[in-house]
Structures are given as structure tokens and as C-alpha cells.
């Protein structure tokens, strides 16, 4: 049976995503970043004025992208007069661009030789994380301040391996920040520390080796908000300047943050009336308003099922990146209603309120009106016919209790029993899949191929215990969970058991290769820049993840590593494989894919290896994305038909 006819082309998928991110709102204006796939994948900055007009601030070849931790993060900040400071991809220097578009090209603020991220402006200075790579390969980081007039750069926090989230108290007396050391990752254990700016020794406020604290924000001069997983879930807390009076603002078995793979994320934002705009949930994060005084959490009725972990607010207006199954990732502003007594909020569960208040709300439907939300920009300008878009459903795979999103094949006037399926495996592995509109998935489902996007044990979004299922078990738990997901599809009659493939990137590519080594359930595997061997990864990967394998597998042991890594288990592969790799990848070196491809070919296993010049960890160019997706579709055609 051939693929179903579909209006969604490889070009539609490859060229549509501008990936809006990192919004900032100030003075009625909103700034955000956008990628340009047709311009080599460079990142520009867009500003929407109060009158609704849009202006692209950076023209080619400028690209606002930082390489701190290699994954980067928020690459810019807005100055008091509406100009911007940004990190330029090519040389990683900070540049200043005035608000006046007639002032010419950006002007350098910092010398060459360092990288900068997590930028914020205070008192005429840029405060940020600085990363320095020495000639001997040693990497050091510090929190620094850089005068906007080009004065001397000053270090404020040094000695730890990693830093994040610098923020200054309202009275300008204290610097708060997050720090941690190897071998921990920021979701394992971090500390919130404070440094007095008038001089003196810093002190710890919260956190430790087994508590992850994130995203500090000053409530006033004496107290801070922070996200902590001390309860087993990333919940919002309030704490005193010296660590006194700590309390959970709204205890819940939900996450109020996403894993900090990128620097500069803010999962909540203070509003003008003292409440907080927050993100919370399991899997997808919803947008709500939290009253710290009462602990009441109210969800806002907006047409976005989930939000990325980067909120910003001015007064009672929140800006963020929202998405839904049929709504592309969008830069959205939301006007938050007044405190209770106002009438434009949807209460998440009226039964949680006091009985009298719940009864009043149940009788007064006017109090359930949606808030006003405006989409300023979208990831995809032109959507296909909605009848070709899949409707994801959150499912739990029994037995191993694995979370996943199911995308059945979907197209108008076309049906098919027991269709082929592709298991999607996200990277990280400490990351998670969400239900956002993804033309890559619609490209498959509209052709008659179902998708199951698996949040295997180790994924974030479901509490610390769920993500720690993977501790010491990488290559075992992730594989067992994806195999169980495939077997469940077949047992439920959802998929043809002979036509289930698996695909993933980075750490997901490791799981793809390992699953094909350990199980015969898959008809084929597709790995994007996947990990195949542990010792070479440890020797050559970047500093941020250089000790991560210790947590995922254990201390270096040749026998243990050989029993776990795909390259040591390659004799178990009997299905065809497609391997795709960027040749400029600093996270997973190209040798990881090429060595596995060579091993397969030596054993007579069908394998196609495609490499791409100029691509890093994640493909950004339209031509690369188009070629890769066309190759993937041809691979499935050979497998399934």
C-alpha cells in the first residue's frame, strides 16, 4: 500500500519553522528571537512596537546566538532606552545596537575570546554568565558585570563550574544567582547563593547536592522566589535573604519549571499587583496566575495547551511562547485580569475554592470569560488544511507506566487498519516531548504513518522520581520503555507489528541504536547525530555534559560501557538503519555516527549514512532539513511498502 496523498511537503516542513523564542516586554513593546532557515539558520531579533508595527533589528550576516554550554540560551537583553545587547554567533562577542534604526551597524561591547549568556541590564551594566575557553581546553565561568559605556568588566562570582540566573535585588545591594559543580547537572543539585555588592563573602540560601533550585526572582529587598524540587516536584517557593522562612507557595505534584538546558529561561514572572504568572503541569505546562498570599492558583483560559519556559511580564501583561495541537508556537501576549472580583479568569477547579466562593462561581458564568490573548508572531505562517493535522492524545503505556503522546494517522476520507508507526524518542535524555503542533509529525500522519512520542523513564515533566528512573540505567530503561511502547501499539491493534520503526536525535539517537541492538521489534531505525560509544563521547564532548555519563551509566568501566553502548552491541542489529550527522557538531562528534555506520556495513546490515557540512547539533538550514526529511520518508517507504 503506498503512502496516502498529502499536501504537506518536505519544503513545508523544512522551511516553515522560524522558532520564535525568548520574548521580552517593556514600554508596550515586545522583542523576541526568530530563526531564518533560508538564510543559513541565522537568528535575528524582532521588535513589535506599541502600534503593532514589526521591525527586524538584525540583518544578515548578524546572528544573535550564544554558545555558552554549547546549547546557548537567551542571547540578548533590552536596554533602558530600548536598544539591545546581543551575543553574535560568529565571534561570540557582545554587541550594542541602538534603538534608532538609522544609527548603523551594531557596535562591539566586549573583546574577543569569551562567550556570554543569561543577559540582564541593571544600573547601566550588563550582568551575565561569562564562559572562557583557555588554549589548554580548560573552561571557566563567572558572573560578571559589563558597563554599557565600555568600562572595565568586573567578576562577582567565581570558583564554581557553572552559573545561571543572575538577578539584582530592588535596592541594588545583593546579587542572587544559581551555581553547581561537576559531575552534577542542574536538575541534579544546585545552590542559590547571594553575594553582597558592597563587598563581603557570599552565602548559600537554598539547594544542595540532591536538590535542584532554579530561577530566583526577588520579591522585595529581603525575600526571593525560587523553584525547588525538594518535595520531589519543581514547585515554587518563597525564602528569606538568609535562607529563613522558606515555604512552598503552592505545593502540588506538578512541575513549575522545565529542565534548564538553555540559560535564561524564566518559568514565572511577577505581575504588577504582586501575583505571579506561572507555568505548571505534567508534560505540557499550562499558564496560570498564582497569588503568593493565599496560595490560590488560577488557570487562564487561552487557546494554548502548553507554553515554553520563558515568560516575561510588564504590569499585568504577560508575554510567552504558547502552542497547541493545531496552533503553531506563537509569541503571545496575555492581559491578566484583576484580582478575584475581576471577571476574566477561568478557575482551574472551582471545587478547590471555599464552598461559598465555588457556589458563586458556579452560578455566575460571566466570571468564566476568557482573557484577552494576542498572537504577535507564529512559527508557521501558512498552515495546511486542518483536516490533515493530527490530534495528539496523552497515553500511559501499562506495565512500565510510561508517558507518551499518541498521533494516529489522520487525513480526510482515508482509513486504514493496523497502519505503520514510528516511535519518536526525544533527546536529552533529561528532556521531554510535548503536544505542540509539529509539521514533521503531520508530514507522517497525513501519509498514513502513525507517531507515538515517548517520554521514557528519565524524562522531565513528571517529577524527580520519574526522571531518576534513568540514573545508572541509560541504555536499559529508555530502551525497555520504547520497546514496551511499540509492543503496546501492536497489542492494542493500533499498529501493524511488522511495521514499527524508531527515530530520535542526540540522546534519542543513542536509544534508537541501542533499541535496534537489543530488540527485534523494530522494522528499522533513524538516528540523528546519535551517541554510539561512551568513552569517545566523554573524551571529546563539550564541558557542560562531560561528566553526565557518570550519572547516566556510571564511572568509566570498559566492560560496563561495552555492555551498554550501541557500538559494543552492534552484532544484535538486524534491521536497516538511517544515520544523519552534522559535521560541525561539538556535542556529539561525527565519529559517533560514522563508526556505527561502518560497523553495520561490515556486518552486512543495510545502512545509509548522510553527513552535512556546516551543520551543528540540530539542523538549521532549509536545504539540510529538506534533504534529511526526504531521506527519512524514502527509508520508511522501503521499510513499510
Amino acid at each position: 500500500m503506498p503512502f496516502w496523498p498529502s499536501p504537506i511537503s518536505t519544503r513545508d516542513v523544512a522551511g516553515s519553522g522560524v522558532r520564535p523564542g525568548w520574548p521580552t516586554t517593556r514600554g508596550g513593546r515586545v522583542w523576541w528571537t526568530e530563526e531564518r532557515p533560508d538564510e543559513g539558520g541565522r537568528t535575528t531579533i524582532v521588535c513589535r512596537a506599541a502600534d503593532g508595527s514589526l521591525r527586524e533589528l538584525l540583518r544578515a550576516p548578524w546572528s544573535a546566538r550564544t554558545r555558552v554550554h554549547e546549547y546557548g540560551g537567551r542571547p540578548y537583553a533590552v536596554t533602558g532606552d530600548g536598544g539591545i545587547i546581543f551575543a553574535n554567533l560568529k565571534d561570540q562577542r557582545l554587541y550594542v545596537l541602538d534603538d534608532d534604526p538609522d544609527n548603523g551597524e551594531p557596535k562591539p561591547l566586549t573583546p574577543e575570546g569569551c562567550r556570554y549568556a543569561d543577559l540582564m541590564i541593571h544600573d547601566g551594566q550588563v550582568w551575565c554568565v561569562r564562559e572562557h575557553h583557555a588554549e589548554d581546553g580548560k573552561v571557566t565561568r563567572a558572573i560578571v558585570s559589563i558597563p554599557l559605556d565600555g568600562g572595565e568588566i568586573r567578576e562577582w562570582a567565581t570558583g564554581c563550574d557553572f552559573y545561571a540566573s543572575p538577578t539584582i535585588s530592588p535596592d541594588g545591594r545583593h546579587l542572587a544567582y544559581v551555581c553547581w559543580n561537576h559531575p552534577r547537572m542542574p536538575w541534579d543539585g544546585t545552590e542559590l547563593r547571594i553575594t553582597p555588592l558592597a563587598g563581603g563573602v557570599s552565602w548559600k540560601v537554598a539547594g544542595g547536592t540532591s536538590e535542584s533550585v532554579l530561577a530566583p526572582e526577588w520579591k522585595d529587598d529581603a525575600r526571593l522566589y525560587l523553584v525547588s524540587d525538594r518535595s520531589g516536584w519543581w514547585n515554587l517557593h518563597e525564602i528569606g535573604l538568609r535562607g529563613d522562612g522558606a515555604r512552598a507557595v503552592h505545593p502540588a505534584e506538578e512541575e513549575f519549571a522545565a529542565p534548564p538546558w538553555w540559560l535564561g529561561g524564566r518559568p514565572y514572572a511577577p505581575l504588577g499587583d504582586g501575583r505571579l504568572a506561572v507555568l505548571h503541569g505534567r508534560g505540557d505546562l499550562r499558564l496560570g496566575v498564582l497569588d503568593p498570599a493565599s496560595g490560590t492558583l488560577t488557570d487562564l483560559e487561552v487557546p494554548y495547551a502548553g507554553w515554553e519556559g520563558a515568560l516575561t511580564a510588564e504590569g499585568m501583561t504577560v508575554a510567552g511562547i504558547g502552542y497547541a495541537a493545531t496552533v503553531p508556537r506563537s509569541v503571545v501576549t496575555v492581559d491578566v485580569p484583576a484580582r478575584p472580583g475581576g471577571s476574566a479568569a477561568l478557575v482551574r477547579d472551582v471545587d478547590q475554592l471555599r464552598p461559598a466562593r465555588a457556589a458563586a462561581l458556579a452560578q455566575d458564568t460571566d466570571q468564566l470569560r476568557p482573557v484577552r490573548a494576542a498572537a504577535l508572531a507564529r512559527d508557521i505562517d501558512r498552515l495546511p488544511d486542518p483536516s490533515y493535522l493530527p490530534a495528539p492524545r496523552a497515553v500511559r503505556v501499562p506495565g512500565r507506566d510510561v508517558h507518551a503522546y499518541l498521533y494516529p494517522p489522520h487525513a480526510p476520507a482515508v482509513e486504514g487498519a493496523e497502519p505503520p508507526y514510528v516511535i519518536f524518542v526525544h533527546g536529552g535524555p533529561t528532556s521531554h516531548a510535548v503536544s505542540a503542533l509539529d509539521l514533521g509529525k503531520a508530514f507522517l500522519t497525513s501519509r498514513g504513518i502513525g507517531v507515538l512520542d515517548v517520554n521514557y523513564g528519565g524524562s522531565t515533566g513528571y517529577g524527580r522520581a520519574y526522571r531518576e528512573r534513568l540514573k545508572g540505567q541509560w541504555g536499559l530503561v529508555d530502551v525497555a520503555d520504547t520497546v514496551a511502547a511499540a509492543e503496546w501499539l501492536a497489542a492494542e491493534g493500533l499498529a501493524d507489528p511488522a511495521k514499527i520503526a524508531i527515530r530520535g536525535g542526540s540522546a534519542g539517537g543513542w536509544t534508537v541504536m541501542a533499541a535496534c541492538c537489543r530488540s527485534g521489534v523494530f522494522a528499522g531505525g533513524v538516528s540523528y547525530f546519535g551517541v554510539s560509544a561512551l568513552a569517545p563521547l566523554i573524551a571529546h564532548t563539550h564541558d557542560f555534559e562531560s561528566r553526565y555519563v557518570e550519572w547516566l551509566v556510571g564511572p568509566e568501566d570498559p566492560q560496563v560501557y561495552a555492555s551498554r553502548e550501541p557500538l559494543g552491541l552492534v552484532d544484535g542489529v538486524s534491521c536497516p538503519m538511517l544515520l544523519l550527522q552534522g559535521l560541525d557538531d561539538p556535542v556529539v562528534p561525527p565519529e559517533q555516527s560514522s563508526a556505527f555506520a561502518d560497523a553495520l556495513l561490515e556486518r552486512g546490515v543495510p545502512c545509509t549514512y548522510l553527513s552535512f557540512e556546516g551543520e551543528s547539533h540540530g539542523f538549521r538550514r532549509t536545504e539540510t532539513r529538506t534533504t534529511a526529511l526526504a531521506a527519512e520518508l524514502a527509508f520508511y517507504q522501503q521499510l513499510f511498502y
Side-chain angles (χ1 to χ4, degrees):
M1 176 181 175
F3 291 135
W4 299 348
S6 171
I8 305 173
S9 69
T10 55
R11 180 72 186 190
D12 290 333
V13 178
S16 61
V18 299
R19 300 181 183 178
W22 308 114
T24 300
T25 180
R26 181 175 299 170
R29 291 192 283 177
V30 183
W31 293 257
W32 64 88
T33 60
E34 287 185 1
E35 288 188 8
R36 295 288 181 260
D38 289 334
E39 299 178 30
R42 76 178 188 92
T43 302
T44 187
I45 299 173
V46 177
C47 179
R48 182 185 187 272
D51 63 6
S53 61
L54 295 177
R55 180 157 60 96
E56 182 174 338
L57 304 183
L58 299 183
R59 302 294 180 181
W62 298 100
S63 182
R65 184 176 157 208
T66 172
R67 290 186 58 191
V68 171
H69 295 183
E70 296 300 346
Y71 293 109
R74 182 182 294 273
Y76 77 98
V78 178
T79 64
D81 59 5
I84 58 171
I85 310 294
F86 70 95
N88 185 48
L89 174 61
K90 183 177 181 180
D91 58 10
Q92 289 298 290
R93 300 172 72 182
L94 292 182
Y95 285 81
V96 180
L97 182 64
D98 293 338
D99 187 37
D100 187 347
D102 297 325
N103 281 352
E105 293 290 288
K107 302 175 180 62
L109 178 64
T110 59
E112 294 186 18
C114 291
R115 306 174 183 183
Y116 306 87
D118 220 344
L119 315 178
M120 58 91 65
I121 308 294
H122 175 78
D123 194 26
Q125 299 183 91
V126 183
W127 298 74
C128 61
V129 176
R130 183 185 66 188
E131 181 180 274
H132 178 255
H133 293 246
E135 292 184 0
D136 62 1
K138 182 177 176 58
V139 181
T140 55
R141 298 174 184 88
I143 292 181
V144 301
S145 61
I146 307 166
L148 292 176
D149 60 9
E152 182 180 356
I153 298 175
R154 181 172 178 179
E155 295 182 345
W156 292 94
T158 62
C160 289
D161 293 326
F162 301 98
Y163 292 94
S165 304
T167 179
I168 309 295
S169 60
D171 60 9
R173 297 177 59 192
H174 297 101
L175 165 70
Y177 54 91
V178 171
C179 58
W180 68 99
N181 289 307
H182 282 307
R184 292 185 298 278
M185 299 297 284
W187 40 85
D188 298 328
T190 62
E191 291 184 358
L192 169 62
R193 299 190 67 84
I194 289 180
T195 293
L197 297 182
V201 179
S202 68
W203 63 87
K204 186 178 86 168
V205 175
T209 58
S210 58
E211 177 187 1
S212 172
V213 294
L214 309 171
E217 186 77 43
W218 291 91
K219 177 182 181 180
D220 51 39
D221 293 334
R223 298 190 68 77
L224 301 98
Y225 296 116
L226 61 96
V227 174
S228 166
D229 71 350
R230 63 180 61 181
S231 69
W233 297 83
W234 271 320
N235 280 189
L236 197 63
H237 290 70
E238 182 182 323
I239 197 166
L241 183 67
R242 295 283 176 177
D244 54 297
R247 70 180 184 94
V249 179
H250 181 89
E253 291 188 350
E254 294 184 332
E255 303 282 46
F256 283 69
W261 282 100
W262 302 272
L263 291 176
R266 294 290 186 272
Y268 65 95
L271 298 170
D273 65 357
R275 291 180 296 164
L276 302 170
V278 300
L279 300 178
H280 70 103
R282 297 190 183 190
D284 293 315
L285 298 180
R286 303 184 303 277
L287 177 63
V289 175
L290 178 57
D291 187 341
S294 65
T296 302
L297 176 60
T298 303
D299 272 2
L300 301 179
E301 188 181 11
V302 291
Y304 304 96
W307 296 75
E308 295 186 355
L311 291 182
T312 179
E314 181 180 42
M316 300 302 292
T317 298
V318 180
I321 308 296
Y323 60 80
T326 57
V327 180
R329 283 180 169 85
S330 305
V331 180
V332 181
T333 57
V334 178
D335 292 334
V336 177
R339 286 178 176 273
S343 61
L346 175 65
V347 176
R348 178 162 56 99
D349 185 353
V350 296
D351 292 334
Q352 293 181 358
L353 302 177
R354 292 189 298 273
R357 177 64 175 154
L361 282 173
Q363 294 177 2
D364 186 0
T365 56
D366 288 343
Q367 301 218 26
L368 301 180
R369 291 199 305 266
V371 300
R372 188 176 67 156
L376 311 185
R378 306 196 310 174
D379 187 40
I380 305 168
D381 287 332
R382 185 179 63 86
L383 285 177
D385 183 337
S387 61
Y388 286 92
L389 298 178
R393 176 165 59 94
V395 297
R396 300 279 284 272
V397 177
R400 297 189 63 82
D401 195 27
V402 178
H403 297 271
Y405 290 101
L406 180 70
Y407 297 77
H410 184 74
V414 182
E415 294 182 2
E418 291 194 339
Y421 257 79
V422 179
I423 305 290
F424 276 44
V425 187
H426 66 71
T430 311
S431 184
H432 66 274
V434 297
S435 66
L437 171 63
D438 181 347
L439 279 191
K441 294 188 179 76
F443 178 83
L444 297 178
T445 58
S446 64
R447 285 171 165 77
I449 302 174
V451 169
L452 185 67
D453 208 351
V454 178
N455 278 318
Y456 50 86
S459 303
T460 46
Y462 305 97
R464 185 172 187 121
Y466 192 80
R467 70 177 184 262
E468 288 194 342
R469 286 187 187 183
L470 203 60
K471 185 175 183 179
Q473 299 295 306
W474 195 35
L476 299 177
V477 165
D478 50 323
V479 169
D481 285 354
T482 52
V483 169
E487 293 173 340
W488 172 78
L489 283 173
E492 292 292 310
L494 297 171
D496 183 335
K499 296 181 179 180
I500 301 176
I502 183 171
R503 60 97 74 186
S506 191
W510 154 282
T511 304
V512 166
M513 290 185 276
C516 291
C517 291
R518 292 182 177 275
S519 171
V521 71
F522 298 109
V526 179
S527 169
Y528 282 78
F529 33 87
V531 177
S532 68
L534 295 174
L537 178 72
I538 294 170
H540 298 292
T541 195
H542 60 132
D543 182 64
F544 178 58
E545 294 181 272
S546 61
R547 305 283 297 277
Y548 197 12
V549 171
E550 293 182 30
W551 188 92
L552 290 169
V553 179
E556 188 164 354
D557 182 317
Q559 289 186 327
V560 172
Y561 282 14
S563 71
R564 199 73 65 82
E565 62 193 13
L567 197 58
L569 303 170
V570 69
D571 285 343
V573 181
S574 59
C575 64
M577 299 202 69
L578 171 64
L579 310 178
L580 304 102
Q581 178 71 49
L583 294 180
D584 294 342
D585 192 336
V587 178
V588 178
E591 293 76 18
Q592 292 279 330
S593 291
S594 62
F596 195 72
D598 290 342
L600 290 176
L601 294 173
E602 287 175 5
R603 288 158 177 78
V605 178
C607 175
T608 300
Y609 171 62
L610 298 178
S611 60
F612 300 93
E613 293 279 358
E615 289 288 3
S616 182
H617 199 66
F619 299 158
R620 295 176 178 270
R621 299 175 178 177
T622 298
E623 56 271 25
T624 303
R625 295 181 189 176
T626 302
T627 300
L629 186 56
E632 194 173 344
L633 183 63
F635 181 74
Y636 297 140
Q637 176 75 56
Q638 293 175 335
L639 286 184
F640 301 147
Y641 306 119

